[in-house]
């Protein structure tokens, strides 16, 4: 039986190769995701080992909030400058230095701020230290004056500067011009991981990075023979309340752990798409083995007649599947290395450039790739294998084929699976839980795929109606209707990919529709100042306030605070803009009662926190300050403001002093064009800021949403490519199955061109069937998702009709593309040999 199994494999190399490709693509995405994230993990392991190699102890403030900034994953109290002398006096301390890290961007020679969407834009305090400073001067010298800076060589290359050049720099305050007096490298590298670094003198760093009288942390090197834990314990005894000491090893481990958590999410994001690809691939494998078993009925029956047991026949088919899965896994693992490089290039193309490093192929990657490839293939082939074992020995004596089974049992099972999936999805969308949502989605798709044969014949008949006038069109239509189970199974693979792309598109359209409503209902400002970076200083708001035609300009600041042991985002603004640039719909109390000692809350947030007008609300700010406010009133949920609104004076305790957006109201009769020109002139020194009216703000936000939707759609296209391979495979096997029939058609006068058209019509019907099914299912999922996210602010439903029509057209074109090889093969069959085929 084993020899017969391998001979069977070798006899069907081309057919099984097409099936293997679907698993290859799925496995390659799995291995590619692991290779990419493992390689990035190695980059950051090496990075922190380099930066922290001589740090024995790190002194820092205690944690205030789990909401971080660009320089940290959490918000901590700042360390007073006076603590540095206390640490230096501890026995065993060889060297100690304060550290400051903030946001700083350099303006390049073309007047644009140098930025990276993936790596941070750091501003540091320079301290000359052979032990504790990883950056080394490669040319020039260290900064000594208030208007001198040192930058990393990677930034110098990006910005087009050299030592001695003057460059504008954006920080927490107004733009200032500095002289570049030196360039630094990290063990010869231009940057650690693609970041940009600007080093200031200590007094300048305190001033510009909003750290007056404080450090972010204090780094300590130990004397020879003093262990990290011993030095940590000694230092801890002299530290004031609100500070803590950890060993250098713990500090490094914590830093790498934070990075790897982010990479873990990144890997999960990519693996979701790999799972979709493998799910679609499983449909292809199932369909392929079902057709192969049907075509080998006499062969399998002959084995049974010669004494093979049912278990031996089952094992024979499963061995074929395992071999295909193993070969697919080998190829997929190797292709995955290229997929990792391709993914890195894709993210770089959209502005999220990832750091370079060695390619890492972990043992886990190899094991998972083989396990996934073999398991998915074996599971997909299990039902066809069982069906093969049921072929009766007497079938060897006649020209038998496996008869179509009744759909009753399949319909009952499919209905149960679908209902279970729908229940799981509904529970996940209302109670949360991505794993439950994923399980529910898989079950729902399986249920729909199993139910689709019920409509396979009537849908194929309807879709084939436009082609029925010509003989090839009628025959292609009949071929699609002949086996509704096969047609539906092939269409279901395409349905999954198109359904997911449709659901994502509907969610994106809903988000854009929600933005339009939010801006129209919450903002009555004539212009907005926005930036994609980490905000802008108060100096910008002050400057534009005096522009001609401006009645009022107010900045909005956002930060994370701790309320009832939970981290919440709050907004601070000038109460004067309420009713002018910001519209609030009062629910209870008074929205006019905002003051330095009071707050406003959305009605939904107040209900969640069980408070009402007059209640006391305690907040712990990012700087460590705790304050109690009186709830003055509640307003109807406002997506721009969020759940909490504070007076602008409370922002002095925010971890960041930068404005997220500024709202500008014009005087009556002011010329918008003239005022806009004045505003753009005022912010010329801040190239990261944009002046937008409401329509431009909505359009820019919509463009960001489109970018995210397009990235997800591109990744989902992998499943559609696999589905196209499934259509190719089904048609190719169908041509082989109908070799004698096709030969007879040619014998009675059908031309090669007509033969090709017949196969193309069948392919188009299958593909459009899958497209229609996908759009219908995806629309239902998309609408359900939007309804479930109403509580999260996605209040409006958007249906991108034009895009859905495009999906259907693309589905039809994929059918034409998928039919090319099978149609060519069918048209080139030798007539006499085809007629003689058994």
């Amino acid at each position: 039986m084993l020899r017969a199994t391998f001979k069977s494999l070798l006899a069907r190399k081309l057919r099984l190769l097409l099936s293997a490709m679907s698993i290859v693509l799925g496995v390659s995405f799995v291995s590619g995701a692991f290779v990419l994230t493992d390689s990035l993990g190695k980059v950051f392991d090496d990075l922190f080992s380099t930066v922290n190699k001589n740090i024995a102890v790190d002194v820092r403030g205690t944690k205030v909030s789990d909401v971080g900034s660009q320089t940290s994953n959490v918000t901590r109290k700042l360390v007073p400058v006076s603590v540095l002398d206390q640490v230096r006096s501890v026995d065993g301390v060889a060297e100690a230095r304060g550290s400051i890290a903030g946001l700083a961007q350099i303006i390049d020679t073309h007047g644009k701020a140098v930025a990276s969407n993936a790596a941070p834009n750091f501003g540091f305090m320079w301290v000359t230290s052979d032990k504790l400073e990883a950056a080394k001067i490669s040319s020039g010298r260290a900064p000594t004056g208030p208007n001198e800076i040192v930058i990393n060589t990677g930034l110098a290359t990006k910005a087009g500067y050299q030592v001695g050049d003057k460059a504008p720099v954006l920080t927490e305050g107004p733009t200032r011009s500095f002289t570049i007096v030196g360039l630094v490298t990290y063990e010869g590298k231009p940057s650690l991981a693609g970041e940009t670094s600007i080093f200031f003198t200590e007094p300048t760093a305190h001033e510009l990075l909003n750290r007056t009288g404080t450090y972010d942390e204090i780094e300590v090197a130990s004397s020879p023979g003093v262990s990290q834990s011993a030095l940590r314990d000694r230092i801890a005894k002299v530290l004031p309340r609100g500070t803590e000491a950890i060993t250098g090893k713990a500090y490094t481990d914590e830093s790498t752990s934070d990075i790897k958590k982010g990479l873990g999410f990144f890997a999960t994001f990519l693996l979701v798409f790999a799972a979709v690809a493998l799910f679609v691939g499983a449909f292809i494998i199932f369909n392929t083995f079902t057709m192969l078993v049907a075509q080998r009925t006499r062969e399998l029956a002959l084995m049974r007649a010669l004494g093979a047991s049912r278990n031996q026949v089952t094992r024979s088919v499963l061995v074929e599947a395992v071999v295909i899965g193993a070969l697919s896994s080998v190829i997929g693992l190797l292709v995955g290395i290229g997929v990792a490089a391709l993914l890195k290039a894709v993210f770089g193309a959209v502005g999220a450039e990832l750091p370079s490093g060695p390619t890492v192929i972990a043992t886990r990657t190899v094991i998972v790739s083989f396990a996934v490839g073999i398991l998915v293939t074996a599971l997909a082939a299990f039902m066809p294998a069982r069906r093969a074992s049921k072929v009766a020995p007497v079938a060897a004596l006649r020209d038998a084929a496996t008869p179509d089974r009744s759909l009753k049992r399949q319909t009952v099972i499919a209905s149960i699976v679908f209902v279970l999936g729908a229940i799981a999805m509904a529970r996940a969308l209302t109670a949360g839980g991505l794993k439950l949502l994923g399980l529910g989605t898989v079950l729902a798709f399986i249920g729909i795929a199993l139910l689709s044969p019920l409509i396979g014949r009537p849908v194929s008949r309807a879709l084939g109606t436009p082609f029925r006038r010509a003989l090839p069109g009628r025959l292609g239509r009949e071929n699609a209707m002949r086996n509704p189970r096969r047609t539906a199974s092939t269409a279901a693979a395409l349905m999954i990919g198109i359904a997911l792309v449709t659901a994502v598109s509907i969610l994106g359209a809903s988000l854009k529709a929600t933005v339009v409503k939010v801006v129209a209902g919450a903002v009555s400002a004539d212009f907005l100042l926005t930036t994609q970076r980490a905000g802008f200083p108060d100096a910008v708001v002050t400057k534009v306030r005096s522009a001609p035609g401006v009645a009022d300009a107010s900045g909005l600041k956002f930060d994370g605070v701790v309320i009832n042991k939970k981290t919440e985002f709050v907004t601070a603004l000038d109460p004067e803009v309420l009713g002018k640039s910001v519209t609030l719909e009062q629910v209870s109390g008074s929205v006019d009662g905002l003051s330095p000692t009071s707050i406003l809350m959305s009605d939904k947030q107040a209900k969640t926190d069980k408070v009402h007008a007059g209640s006391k609300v305690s907040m712990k700010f990012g700087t460590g300050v705790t304050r109690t406010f009186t709830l003055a009133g509640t307003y109807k949920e406002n997506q721009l403001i969020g759940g909490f609104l504070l007076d602008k004076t409370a922002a002095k305790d925010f971890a960041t002093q930068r404005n997220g957006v500024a709202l500008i109201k014009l005087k009556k009769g002011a010329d918008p064009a003239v005022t806009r020109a004045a505003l753009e002139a005022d912010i010329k020194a801040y190239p990261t800021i944009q002046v937008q009216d409401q329509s431009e703000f909505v359009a820019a936000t919509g463009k960001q949403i489109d970018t995210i939707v397009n990235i997800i759609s591109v990744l989902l296209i992998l499943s559609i490519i696999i589905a196209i391979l499934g259509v190719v495979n089904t048609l190719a096997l169908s041509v082989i199955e109908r070799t004698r029939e096709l030969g007879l058609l040619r014998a009675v006068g059908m031309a090669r061109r007509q033969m090709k058209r017949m196969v193309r019509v069948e392919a188009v019907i299958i593909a459009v069937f899958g497209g229609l099914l996908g759009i219908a299912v995806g629309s239902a999922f998309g609408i359900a998702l939007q309804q479930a996210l109403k509580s999260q602010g996605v209040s409006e439903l958007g249906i991108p009709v034009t895009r859905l029509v495009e999906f259907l057209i693309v589905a039809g074109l994929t059918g034409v593309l998928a039919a090319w090889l099978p149609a060519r093969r069918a048209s080139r069959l030798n007539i006499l040999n085809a007629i003689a085929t058994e």
Side-chain angles (χ1 to χ4, degrees):
M1 284 297 294
L2 193 60
R3 285 197 299 272
T5 298
F6 281 105
K7 284 184 177 180
S8 175
L9 274 169
L10 293 174
R12 298 172 176 84
K13 295 187 288 291
L14 182 59
R15 309 178 208 178
L16 296 176
L17 177 62
L18 290 171
S19 302
M21 284 300 295
S22 60
I23 299 299
V24 166
L25 290 174
V27 171
S28 68
F29 219 78
V30 172
S31 61
F34 282 127
V35 168
L36 180 58
T37 51
D38 287 345
S39 300
L40 291 174
K42 180 70 166 70
V43 170
F44 288 106
D45 282 342
D46 294 344
L47 183 156
F48 289 114
S49 296
T50 299
V51 173
N52 302 333
K53 63 181 178 182
N54 291 323
I55 297 177
V57 175
D58 183 75
V59 177
R60 63 190 184 181
T62 52
K63 185 170 75 171
V64 175
S65 169
D66 287 321
V67 177
S69 64
Q70 191 177 15
T71 58
S72 174
N73 290 319
V74 297
T75 299
R76 295 184 176 276
K77 291 182 178 180
L78 298 174
V79 180
V81 169
S82 58
V83 175
L84 180 58
D85 288 335
Q86 295 174 269
V87 171
R88 283 174 173 165
S89 66
V90 174
D91 183 38
V93 172
E95 188 178 337
R97 71 158 203 173
S99 175
I100 295 175
L103 173 70
Q105 289 176 270
I106 203 165
I107 309 301
D108 66 19
T109 53
H110 301 290
K112 295 183 179 180
V114 177
S116 169
N117 291 336
N121 306 114
F122 284 125
F124 291 118
M125 179 185 82
W126 177 266
V127 177
T128 300
S129 170
D130 290 334
K131 286 188 176 182
L132 296 174
E133 182 54 73
K136 305 300 179 186
I137 300 289
S138 60
S139 63
R141 59 175 175 81
T144 56
N147 296 316
E148 295 180 346
I149 57 172
V150 165
I151 64 176
N152 63 306
T153 55
L155 174 55
T157 301
K158 287 181 180 179
Y161 288 121
Q162 298 177 346
V163 174
D165 290 342
K166 289 185 178 295
V169 176
L170 290 171
T171 58
E172 292 282 355
T175 305
R176 276 178 53 178
S177 181
F178 291 86
T179 300
I180 301 171
V181 297
L183 302 179
V184 299
T185 58
Y186 300 87
E187 294 191 342
K189 296 190 294 184
S191 69
L192 288 167
E195 81 293 341
T196 66
S197 300
I198 303 173
F199 296 87
F200 306 94
T201 60
E202 181 168 346
T204 306
H206 281 296
E207 175 193 354
L208 295 185
L209 302 179
N210 195 33
R211 298 292 188 272
T212 302
T214 59
Y215 296 122
D216 288 311
E217 57 196 3
I218 295 172
E219 298 167 349
V220 182
S222 61
S223 300
V226 180
S227 69
Q228 291 188 1
S229 57
L231 186 58
R232 175 202 59 198
D233 294 341
R234 293 177 194 174
I235 291 174
K237 293 177 182 179
V238 304
L239 294 180
R241 187 175 181 182
T243 57
E244 63 183 14
I246 61 172
T247 63
K249 184 180 183 306
Y251 179 56
T252 300
D253 291 345
E254 190 178 284
S255 300
T256 54
S257 174
D258 288 340
I259 290 291
K260 287 183 177 178
K261 281 180 183 177
L263 291 177
F265 175 80
F266 182 57
T268 302
F269 174 76
L270 295 176
L271 288 173
V272 166
F273 297 100
V276 172
L278 287 166
F279 186 49
V280 175
F283 274 85
I284 309 306
I285 293 293
F286 173 82
N287 218 24
T288 300
F289 273 89
T290 298
M291 294 182 73
L292 288 176
V293 166
Q295 291 174 14
R296 294 165 57 194
T297 299
R298 295 186 67 184
E299 175 190 328
L300 296 171
L302 185 59
M303 288 183 179
R304 292 293 313 282
L306 293 175
S309 67
R310 289 182 60 178
N311 285 338
Q312 283 180 308
V313 172
T314 301
R315 285 197 297 269
S316 173
V317 177
L318 285 177
V319 166
E320 288 188 31
V322 168
V323 171
I324 292 170
L327 291 174
S328 301
S329 299
V330 172
I331 300 170
L333 178 62
L334 297 175
V335 173
I337 300 172
V339 169
L342 180 61
L343 287 171
K344 189 174 178 180
V346 168
F347 282 102
V350 297
E353 187 175 349
L354 301 176
S356 299
T359 300
V360 177
I361 305 175
T363 303
R364 180 256 286 125
T365 303
V366 178
I367 293 173
V368 170
S369 296
F370 274 89
V372 166
I374 293 172
L375 188 62
V376 168
T377 310
L379 287 175
F382 179 71
M383 289 303 295
R386 282 195 66 220
R387 196 170 303 138
S389 69
K390 295 179 181 180
V391 175
V394 72
L397 304 177
R398 54 190 171 86
D399 188 11
T402 52
D404 279 348
R405 294 170 289 111
S406 170
L407 289 172
K408 290 182 180 179
R409 183 181 176 187
Q410 179 173 317
T411 301
V412 171
I413 295 173
S415 300
I416 294 172
V417 171
F418 175 73
V419 170
L420 289 174
I423 292 172
M425 288 180 65
R427 184 170 180 79
L429 291 173
T430 54
L434 289 177
K435 292 182 180 178
L436 185 60
L437 178 61
L439 176 63
T441 303
V442 170
L443 290 176
F445 273 131
I446 292 174
I448 293 168
L450 292 175
L451 288 170
S452 59
L454 293 174
I455 61 171
R457 186 171 279 116
V459 171
S460 297
R461 181 183 293 110
L463 292 176
T465 300
F467 307 105
R468 64 183 180 180
R469 291 187 178 182
L471 176 63
R474 286 200 301 274
L475 291 175
R477 178 194 189 203
E478 292 299 321
N479 289 336
M481 293 170 55
R482 181 186 303 179
N483 193 329
R485 181 180 274 109
R486 179 191 301 170
T487 298
S489 179
T490 306
L494 189 58
M495 174 266 290
I496 295 169
I498 292 180
L500 292 173
V501 173
T502 298
V504 169
S505 298
I506 289 176
L507 180 59
S510 300
L511 286 170
K512 293 200 302 190
T514 300
V515 169
V516 172
K517 184 179 179 182
V518 166
V519 173
V523 179
S524 53
D526 297 293
F527 290 110
L528 298 91
L529 299 186
T530 62
T531 176
Q532 294 183 358
R533 304 307 298 168
F536 46 88
D538 290 333
V540 175
V541 181
T542 302
K543 189 168 186 178
V544 300
R545 192 172 287 137
S546 60
V550 172
D552 182 72
S554 298
L556 274 65
K557 295 181 179 179
F558 309 94
D559 202 11
V561 300
V562 176
I563 303 174
N564 296 328
K565 298 182 179 180
K566 293 189 301 181
T567 299
E568 305 278 7
F569 283 97
V570 298
T571 304
L573 53 66
D574 186 344
E576 293 295 322
V577 306
L578 295 178
K580 297 176 182 177
S581 297
V582 175
T583 304
L584 292 181
E585 185 177 338
Q586 182 174 299
V587 176
S588 66
S590 173
V591 295
D592 296 325
L594 185 63
S595 70
T597 59
S598 65
I599 64 168
L600 301 176
M601 293 174 61
S602 70
D603 57 336
K604 179 183 174 183
Q605 188 67 54
K607 186 177 180 180
T608 300
D609 290 354
K610 298 179 181 179
V611 293
H612 51 80
S615 297
K616 300 295 182 181
V617 179
S618 181
M619 294 184 180
K620 189 174 184 180
F621 290 86
T623 51
V625 175
T626 299
R627 294 180 60 188
T628 301
F629 299 90
T630 301
L631 179 58
T634 62
Y635 51 86
K636 192 172 181 180
E637 191 172 13
N638 184 304
Q639 295 301 317
L640 175 69
I641 299 302
F644 300 86
L645 183 59
L646 301 175
D647 182 89
K648 66 177 182 180
T649 57
K652 70 178 186 299
D653 294 318
F654 282 9
T656 175
Q657 296 299 303
R658 299 173 75 85
N659 296 277
V661 65
L663 306 177
I664 298 171
K665 192 73 175 175
L666 301 186
K667 296 176 181 177
K668 287 185 178 180
D671 186 340
V674 173
T675 303
R676 182 176 192 138
L679 292 172
E680 290 176 344
D682 285 343
I683 65 169
K684 193 173 182 180
Y686 300 87
T688 59
I689 304 175
Q690 289 181 302
V691 179
Q692 296 174 324
D693 60 25
Q694 286 195 26
S695 61
E696 290 170 332
F697 177 74
V698 169
T701 306
K703 190 175 180 181
Q704 294 174 18
I705 294 171
D706 284 339
T707 298
I708 296 171
V709 169
N710 289 338
I711 290 173
I712 295 175
S713 298
V714 166
L715 293 173
L716 285 172
I717 283 174
L718 175 66
S719 63
I720 296 176
I721 292 172
I722 292 174
I724 294 172
L725 288 175
V727 177
V728 174
N729 210 22
T730 298
L731 292 173
L733 290 171
S734 179
V735 167
I736 295 170
E737 185 181 71
R738 305 200 305 264
T739 297
R740 179 186 288 181
E741 173 191 325
L742 297 175
L744 289 170
L745 288 172
R746 291 279 286 120
V748 296
M750 178 174 274
R752 287 184 173 181
R753 180 175 53 81
Q754 291 176 308
M755 185 74 70
K756 289 180 180 179
R757 189 179 177 207
M758 179 186 73
V759 177
R760 280 198 297 268
V761 168
E762 182 180 356
V764 169
I765 290 173
I766 293 173
V768 174
F769 181 19
L772 286 172
L773 201 59
I775 290 171
V777 173
S779 296
F781 286 168
I783 293 170
L785 191 57
Q786 181 273 327
Q787 291 295 313
L789 292 175
K790 262 191 171 181
S791 60
Q792 304 299 317
V794 188
S795 59
E796 302 302 303
L797 175 64
I799 305 293
V801 177
T802 302
R803 192 159 192 169
L804 299 187
V805 172
E806 289 173 355
F807 291 161
L808 192 59
I809 293 172
V810 169
L813 293 176
T814 60
V816 176
L817 178 66
W820 184 71
L821 278 175
R824 190 166 179 267
R825 180 187 179 98
S827 68
R828 294 193 172 191
L829 287 173
N830 182 286
I831 297 175
L832 294 178
N833 290 339
I835 294 173
T837 300
E838 294 186 3

